Amino acid sequence: MSEDLPNPESMESGSTRSEPTMPGPYDWADHYTKGDTPWDLGAAHPDLVARIAAGEFEPPRTGARALVPGCGKGHDALALAQAGWVVVALDYVPEVQTILGAQLAKFGGEVVLGDALEFAPDEPFDLIWEHTFFCAIDPSDRPRYAELIRRVLAPGGQHAAIVFPLDKPEEEGGPPHGFNASTLDDLLGDEFRRLTEEPVGQGVGKRTRPERFSLLERRGG
Ligand SMILES: C[S@@+](CC[C@H](N)C(=O)[O-])C[C@H]1O[C@@H](n2cnc3c(N)ncnc32)[C@H](O)[C@@H]1O
């Protein structure tokens, strides 16, 4: 898998859908069952780790909330929890609860299972951390992603993302589906202000496509 994510051929030929309620054409749960999770880094993204160490991800106050949609095994979610955030990690694969739920609970966080794009919390979030969830959803679901962000992020809250894979033509399909920072700008619109768009300081060596760091802030905070 050249892109560290399942390619359409491998997902469609080898899998039987075990979670009929799961949206989307790919059977993510089957990948966990088979231990075939090539996207998993086995640790938090090195750029996130470096930015936390540099103080860039300080929670603005005690109890500040961070959302990690499509969290997978949750290394990034745990890194944010250890940095002081109250983290809610979303995925629709039940195994994620087993892998991550207890660890996150130690820091006051939780795993919520279900379609992340339908998530409707009681309280808003101060931070959304996006890493290989946006590229995992079908491009036709991108407007729903934008709706999610608008629904859950507080005014003044930030949307931080590893933008990957860059420079992948749409016709090559996915997952992972290519995008760039301007895809996020266009989706989220004027309600958001761009703070940063830069190369990752520390990338993932095995990735064959470039990745960048994107930071947007919701206006009105
Ligand atoms: C490529 S993996 C990335 C996992 C994690 N972010 C990481 O970087 O290791 C994509 C994850 O998103 C989850 N996922 C995809 N679509 C989803 C949806 N609509 N709702 C919830 N989870 C979803 C999959 O189950 C999978 O765990």
Coordinates of all heavy atoms in Angstrom, one line a residue, residues 3-6 22-24 26-29 31-32 37-43 45 68-77 90-94 96 112-119 129-138 141 144 175-176 207, ligand 1:
E3 N 0.3 4.3 -0.1 CA -0.1 5.6 0.6 C -0.4 5.3 2.1 O -1.0 6.2 2.7 CB -1.4 6.1 0.0 CG -1.3 6.3 -1.5 CD -0.5 7.5 -1.9 OE1 0.0 8.2 -1.0 OE2 -0.2 7.6 -3.1
D4 N -0.1 4.2 2.6 CA -0.3 3.9 4.1 C -1.7 3.8 4.4 O -2.1 3.9 5.6 CB 0.4 5.0 5.0 CG 1.8 5.3 4.6 OD1 2.5 4.3 4.3 OD2 2.2 6.4 4.5
L5 N -2.6 3.7 3.5 CA -4.0 3.5 3.7 C -4.5 2.4 2.8 O -3.8 2.1 1.8 CB -4.8 4.8 3.4 CG -4.7 5.9 4.4 CD1 -5.4 7.1 3.9 CD2 -5.2 5.5 5.8
P6 N -5.6 1.8 3.1 CA -6.1 0.7 2.2 C -6.3 1.3 0.8 O -6.8 2.4 0.7 CB -7.4 0.3 2.9 CG -7.6 1.1 4.1 CD -6.5 2.1 4.2
M22 N -22.5 0.5 9.2 CA -21.4 1.5 8.9 C -21.6 2.2 7.6 O -21.8 1.5 6.6 CB -20.1 0.7 8.9 CG -19.4 0.7 10.2 SD -17.6 0.5 9.9 CE -17.6 -1.2 9.5
P23 N -21.5 3.5 7.6 CA -21.6 4.2 6.3 C -20.3 4.1 5.5 O -19.3 3.7 6.1 CB -21.8 5.7 6.8 CG -21.2 5.7 8.1 CD -21.3 4.4 8.7
G24 N -20.4 4.3 4.3 CA -19.2 4.4 3.4 C -18.9 3.0 2.8 O -19.4 2.0 3.2
Y26 N -16.1 1.4 2.4 CA -15.0 0.6 2.8 C -15.2 0.0 4.2 O -15.8 0.7 5.0 CB -13.7 1.5 2.9 CG -13.3 2.0 1.5 CD1 -13.3 3.4 1.3 CD2 -13.1 1.1 0.4 CE1 -13.1 3.9 0.0 CE2 -12.8 1.6 -0.8 CZ -12.8 3.0 -1.0 OH -12.5 3.5 -2.3
D27 N -14.7 -1.2 4.3 CA -15.0 -1.9 5.6 C -13.8 -1.7 6.5 O -12.8 -2.5 6.6 CB -15.2 -3.4 5.3 CG -15.6 -4.1 6.6 OD1 -15.5 -3.6 7.7 OD2 -16.1 -5.2 6.4
W28 N -13.7 -0.6 7.2 CA -12.6 -0.3 8.1 C -12.5 -1.3 9.2 O -11.4 -1.7 9.6 CB -12.8 1.1 8.7 CG -12.7 2.2 7.7 CD1 -13.7 2.9 7.1 CD2 -11.5 2.8 7.2 NE1 -13.2 3.8 6.2 CE2 -11.9 3.8 6.2 CE3 -10.1 2.5 7.3 CZ2 -11.0 4.5 5.5 CZ3 -9.2 3.3 6.6 CH2 -9.6 4.3 5.7
A29 N -13.6 -1.8 9.7 CA -13.6 -2.7 10.8 C -12.9 -4.0 10.4 O -12.1 -4.6 11.2 CB -15.0 -3.1 11.3
H31 N -10.4 -4.3 8.6 CA -8.9 -4.1 8.7 C -8.4 -4.3 10.1 O -7.3 -4.8 10.3 CB -8.6 -2.7 8.2 CG -8.5 -2.6 6.7 ND1 -7.3 -2.7 6.0 CD2 -9.5 -2.5 5.7 CE1 -7.6 -2.6 4.7 NE2 -8.9 -2.5 4.5
Y32 N -9.2 -3.8 11.1 CA -8.8 -4.0 12.5 C -8.9 -5.5 12.8 O -8.0 -6.0 13.5 CB -9.7 -3.2 13.4 CG -9.4 -1.7 13.3 CD1 -10.1 -0.9 12.4 CD2 -8.5 -1.1 14.2 CE1 -9.8 0.5 12.3 CE2 -8.3 0.3 14.1 CZ -8.9 1.1 13.1 OH -8.6 2.4 13.1
T37 N -3.7 -2.6 9.5 CA -3.9 -1.2 9.7 C -2.6 -0.4 9.3 O -1.9 0.1 10.1 CB -4.2 -0.9 11.1 OG1 -3.2 -1.4 12.0 CG2 -5.6 -1.5 11.5
P38 N -2.3 -0.4 8.0 CA -1.0 0.1 7.5 C -0.9 1.6 7.7 O 0.2 2.1 7.7 CB -1.0 -0.2 6.0 CG -2.4 -0.4 5.7 CD -3.1 -1.0 6.9
W39 N -2.0 2.3 8.0 CA -1.9 3.7 8.2 C -1.4 4.1 9.6 O -1.0 5.2 9.9 CB -3.3 4.4 8.1 CG -4.3 3.8 9.0 CD1 -4.5 4.1 10.3 CD2 -5.3 2.7 8.7 NE1 -5.5 3.3 10.9 CE2 -6.0 2.5 9.9 CE3 -5.6 1.9 7.6 CZ2 -7.0 1.5 10.0 CZ3 -6.5 1.0 7.7 CH2 -7.2 0.7 8.9
D40 N -1.5 3.0 10.5 CA -1.2 3.3 11.9 C 0.3 3.5 12.1 O 1.1 2.7 11.7 CB -1.7 2.1 12.8 CG -1.5 2.4 14.2 OD1 -2.1 3.3 14.8 OD2 -0.7 1.7 14.9
L41 N 0.7 4.6 12.8 CA 2.1 4.9 12.9 C 2.7 4.3 14.2 O 3.9 4.3 14.3 CB 2.3 6.4 13.0 CG 1.7 7.3 11.8 CD1 2.0 8.7 12.1 CD2 2.4 6.8 10.5
G42 N 1.8 3.7 15.0 CA 2.3 3.1 16.2 C 2.7 4.1 17.3 O 3.2 3.8 18.4
A43 N 2.5 5.4 17.0 CA 2.8 6.5 17.9 C 2.1 7.7 17.4 O 1.6 7.7 16.2 CB 4.3 6.7 17.9
H45 N 1.6 11.3 15.7 CA 2.3 11.9 14.5 C 3.5 12.7 15.1 O 3.3 13.5 16.0 CB 1.4 12.8 13.7 CG 2.0 13.2 12.4 ND1 3.1 14.1 12.3 CD2 1.8 12.8 11.1 CE1 3.4 14.2 11.1 NE2 2.7 13.4 10.3
V68 N -11.1 14.3 18.3 CA -10.3 13.6 17.3 C -11.2 12.7 16.5 O -11.4 11.6 16.9 CB -9.1 12.8 18.0 CG1 -8.2 12.2 16.9 CG2 -8.3 13.8 18.8
P69 N -11.7 13.2 15.4 CA -12.5 12.3 14.6 C -11.7 11.2 13.8 O -10.6 11.5 13.3 CB -13.2 13.3 13.6 CG -12.3 14.5 13.5 CD -11.5 14.5 14.8
G70 N -12.3 10.0 13.6 CA -11.6 9.0 12.9 C -10.2 8.7 13.6 O -9.2 8.7 13.0
C71 N -10.3 8.5 14.9 CA -9.1 8.4 15.8 C -8.2 7.2 15.6 O -7.1 7.2 15.9 CB -9.5 8.5 17.2 SG -10.5 7.2 17.8
G72 N -8.8 6.1 15.0 CA -8.1 4.9 14.9 C -7.6 4.4 16.2 O -8.3 4.4 17.2
K73 N -6.3 3.9 16.3 CA -5.8 3.4 17.6 C -5.6 4.5 18.6 O -5.2 4.2 19.8 CB -4.6 2.5 17.3 CG -5.0 1.3 16.5 CD -3.8 0.3 16.4 CE -4.3 -0.9 15.5 NZ -3.2 -1.8 15.3
G74 N -5.6 5.7 18.2 CA -5.7 6.8 19.1 C -4.4 7.4 19.7 O -4.4 8.0 20.7
H75 N -3.3 7.2 19.0 CA -2.0 7.7 19.5 C -2.1 9.2 19.6 O -1.6 9.8 20.6 CB -0.9 7.3 18.6 CG -0.9 5.8 18.3 ND1 -0.6 4.8 19.2 CD2 -1.1 5.1 17.1 CE1 -0.7 3.6 18.7 NE2 -1.0 3.8 17.4
D76 N -2.6 9.9 18.6 CA -2.7 11.3 18.7 C -3.6 11.8 19.8 O -3.3 12.7 20.5 CB -3.2 11.9 17.3 CG -2.3 11.7 16.2 OD1 -1.1 11.3 16.4 OD2 -2.7 11.9 15.0
A77 N -4.7 11.1 19.9 CA -5.7 11.4 21.0 C -5.1 11.3 22.3 O -5.2 12.2 23.2 CB -6.9 10.5 20.9
L90 N -13.4 9.9 18.2 CA -14.5 9.2 17.5 C -14.0 8.2 16.5 O -13.0 8.5 15.8 CB -15.3 10.3 16.7 CG -15.8 11.6 17.4 CD1 -16.4 12.5 16.4 CD2 -16.8 11.2 18.5
D91 N -14.7 7.1 16.4 CA -14.5 6.1 15.4 C -15.7 5.3 15.3 O -16.5 5.2 16.3 CB -13.2 5.3 15.6 CG -12.5 4.8 14.3 OD1 -13.1 4.0 13.6 OD2 -11.5 5.4 14.0
Y92 N -15.9 4.6 14.2 CA -17.1 3.7 14.2 C -16.7 2.2 14.3 O -17.6 1.4 14.3 CB -18.1 4.0 13.1 CG -17.6 4.0 11.7 CD1 -16.6 3.2 11.2 CD2 -18.3 4.7 10.7 CE1 -16.2 3.2 9.9 CE2 -17.9 4.8 9.4 CZ -16.9 4.0 9.0 OH -16.5 4.0 7.7
V93 N -15.4 1.9 14.5 CA -15.0 0.6 14.6 C -15.0 0.2 16.1 O -14.2 0.8 16.9 CB -13.6 0.3 14.0 CG1 -13.1 -1.1 14.3 CG2 -13.7 0.6 12.5
P94 N -15.8 -0.8 16.6 CA -15.9 -1.1 18.0 C -14.6 -1.4 18.6 O -14.4 -1.1 19.8 CB -16.9 -2.3 18.0 CG -17.7 -2.1 16.8 CD -16.8 -1.5 15.7
V96 N -11.9 0.0 18.5 CA -11.2 1.2 19.0 C -11.5 1.4 20.4 O -10.7 1.9 21.2 CB -11.6 2.4 18.1 CG1 -11.1 3.7 18.7 CG2 -11.0 2.2 16.7
V112 N -16.1 7.7 21.6 CA -17.5 7.6 21.2 C -17.5 6.9 19.9 O -16.9 7.3 18.9 CB -18.1 9.0 21.1 CG1 -19.5 9.0 20.6 CG2 -18.1 9.8 22.5
L113 N -18.3 5.8 19.9 CA -18.4 5.1 18.6 C -19.6 5.5 17.8 O -20.7 5.8 18.4 CB -18.6 3.6 19.0 CG -17.4 2.9 19.7 CD1 -17.8 1.4 20.0 CD2 -16.2 2.9 18.8
G114 N -19.4 5.5 16.5 CA -20.5 5.9 15.6 C -20.0 6.7 14.4 O -18.7 6.8 14.3
D115 N -20.9 7.1 13.6 CA -20.4 7.9 12.4 C -20.0 9.3 12.9 O -20.8 10.1 13.3 CB -21.6 8.0 11.4 CG -21.2 8.8 10.2 OD1 -20.0 9.3 10.1 OD2 -22.0 8.8 9.2
A116 N -18.7 9.6 12.8 CA -18.1 10.8 13.2 C -18.8 12.0 12.6 O -19.0 13.1 13.2 CB -16.6 10.9 13.0
L117 N -19.2 11.8 11.3 CA -19.8 12.9 10.6 C -21.2 13.3 11.1 O -21.7 14.4 10.8 CB -19.9 12.6 9.1 CG -18.5 12.3 8.5 CD1 -18.7 11.8 7.0 CD2 -17.7 13.6 8.5
E118 N -21.8 12.5 12.0 CA -23.1 12.7 12.6 C -23.0 13.2 14.0 O -24.0 13.4 14.7 CB -24.0 11.5 12.5 CG -24.4 11.1 11.1 CD -25.2 12.1 10.4 OE1 -26.1 12.7 11.0 OE2 -24.9 12.5 9.2
F119 N -21.8 13.2 14.5 CA -21.6 13.5 15.9 C -22.2 14.9 16.3 O -21.9 15.9 15.7 CB -20.1 13.5 16.2 CG -19.7 13.7 17.7 CD1 -20.2 12.8 18.7 CD2 -18.9 14.8 18.1 CE1 -19.8 13.0 20.0 CE2 -18.6 15.0 19.4 CZ -19.0 14.1 20.4
W129 N -8.5 17.9 16.1 CA -7.3 17.4 15.5 C -7.6 16.4 14.4 O -8.3 15.4 14.6 CB -6.4 16.7 16.6 CG -5.2 16.0 16.0 CD1 -5.1 14.7 15.8 CD2 -4.1 16.6 15.5 NE1 -3.9 14.4 15.2 CE2 -3.2 15.6 15.0 CE3 -3.6 18.0 15.3 CZ2 -2.0 15.9 14.4 CZ3 -2.4 18.2 14.7 CH2 -1.6 17.2 14.3
E130 N -7.2 16.8 13.2 CA -7.5 16.0 12.0 C -6.2 15.4 11.5 O -5.2 16.1 11.2 CB -8.1 16.9 11.0 CG -8.0 16.5 9.5 CD -8.4 15.1 9.2 OE1 -9.4 14.7 9.7 OE2 -7.7 14.5 8.4
H131 N -6.2 14.0 11.4 CA -5.1 13.3 10.9 C -5.5 12.0 10.2 O -6.0 11.1 10.9 CB -4.0 13.0 12.0 CG -2.9 12.2 11.5 ND1 -2.2 11.4 12.4 CD2 -2.3 12.1 10.3 CE1 -1.2 10.8 11.8 NE2 -1.3 11.1 10.5
T132 N -5.5 12.0 8.9 CA -6.0 10.9 8.1 C -7.4 10.4 8.3 O -7.7 9.2 8.1 CB -5.0 9.7 8.1 OG1 -4.9 9.1 9.4 CG2 -3.6 10.1 7.5
F133 N -8.2 11.3 8.8 CA -9.7 11.0 8.7 C -10.3 11.7 7.5 O -11.0 11.0 6.7 CB -10.4 11.5 10.0 CG -11.9 11.5 9.9 CD1 -12.5 10.2 9.8 CD2 -12.6 12.6 10.0 CE1 -13.9 10.2 9.7 CE2 -14.0 12.5 9.9 CZ -14.7 11.3 9.8
F134 N -9.9 12.9 7.3 CA -10.5 13.6 6.1 C -10.2 12.9 4.8 O -11.0 12.8 3.9 CB -9.9 15.1 6.1 CG -10.6 15.9 5.0 CD1 -11.8 16.5 5.3 CD2 -10.0 16.2 3.8 CE1 -12.5 17.3 4.3 CE2 -10.6 17.0 2.9 CZ -11.8 17.6 3.1
C135 N -9.0 12.4 4.7 CA -8.6 11.7 3.5 C -9.2 10.3 3.4 O -9.2 9.6 2.3 CB -7.1 11.6 3.3 SG -6.3 10.4 4.5
A136 N -9.8 9.8 4.5 CA -10.4 8.5 4.6 C -11.8 8.5 4.1 O -12.4 7.5 3.6 CB -10.3 7.9 6.0
I137 N -12.5 9.7 4.3 CA -13.9 9.7 3.9 C -14.0 10.0 2.4 O -13.1 10.5 1.8 CB -14.7 10.8 4.7 CG1 -14.1 12.2 4.4 CG2 -14.7 10.5 6.2 CD1 -14.9 13.4 5.1
D138 N -15.1 9.6 1.9 CA -15.3 9.8 0.4 C -15.5 11.4 0.2 O -16.1 12.1 1.0 CB -16.6 9.1 0.0 CG -16.7 9.1 -1.5 OD1 -16.1 8.1 -2.1 OD2 -17.3 10.0 -2.1
D141 N -18.5 13.2 0.9 CA -18.9 13.5 2.3 C -18.2 14.7 2.9 O -18.4 15.1 4.0 CB -18.5 12.3 3.2 CG -19.6 11.3 3.2 OD1 -20.8 11.6 3.1 OD2 -19.3 10.1 3.4
R144 N -20.3 17.2 4.6 CA -20.8 16.8 5.9 C -19.6 17.0 6.9 O -19.9 17.2 8.1 CB -21.1 15.3 5.9 CG -22.4 15.0 5.1 CD -22.7 13.5 5.0 NE -23.0 12.9 6.3 CZ -22.6 11.7 6.7 NH1 -21.9 10.9 5.9 NH2 -23.0 11.2 7.9
P175 N -9.5 5.5 -0.5 CA -8.7 6.3 0.4 C -7.2 5.8 0.2 O -7.0 4.6 0.0 CB -9.2 6.0 1.8 CG -9.9 4.6 1.6 CD -10.4 4.6 0.2
P176 N -6.3 6.8 0.5 CA -6.5 8.1 0.9 C -6.8 9.0 -0.3 O -6.2 9.0 -1.3 CB -5.2 8.5 1.6 CG -4.2 7.8 0.8 CD -4.8 6.5 0.4
R207 N 5.9 7.7 4.3 CA 4.8 8.2 3.4 C 5.4 8.7 2.1 O 6.4 9.4 2.1 CB 4.1 9.4 4.1 CG 3.1 8.8 5.2 CD 2.2 9.9 5.8 NE 1.2 9.2 6.6 CZ 0.6 9.8 7.6 NH1 0.8 11.1 7.8 NH2 -0.3 9.1 8.3
Ligands
LIG1 C1 -6.9 6.0 7.9 S1 -7.6 5.6 9.5 C2 -6.8 6.9 10.5 C3 -6.8 6.6 12.0 C4 -6.0 7.7 12.8 N1 -6.5 9.0 12.6 C5 -4.5 7.6 12.5 O1 -4.0 8.6 12.0 O2 -3.9 6.5 12.8 C6 -9.2 6.3 9.3 C7 -10.0 6.0 10.6 O3 -11.3 6.6 10.4 C8 -12.3 5.8 10.8 N2 -13.5 6.2 10.0 C9 -13.7 6.4 8.7 N3 -14.8 6.9 8.4 C10 -15.5 7.1 9.6 C11 -16.7 7.7 10.0 N4 -17.6 8.2 9.0 N5 -17.0 7.8 11.3 C12 -16.2 7.3 12.2 N6 -15.0 6.8 11.9 C13 -14.6 6.7 10.6 C14 -11.9 4.4 10.4 O4 -12.5 3.4 11.1 C15 -10.4 4.5 10.7 O5 -10.1 4.1 12.1

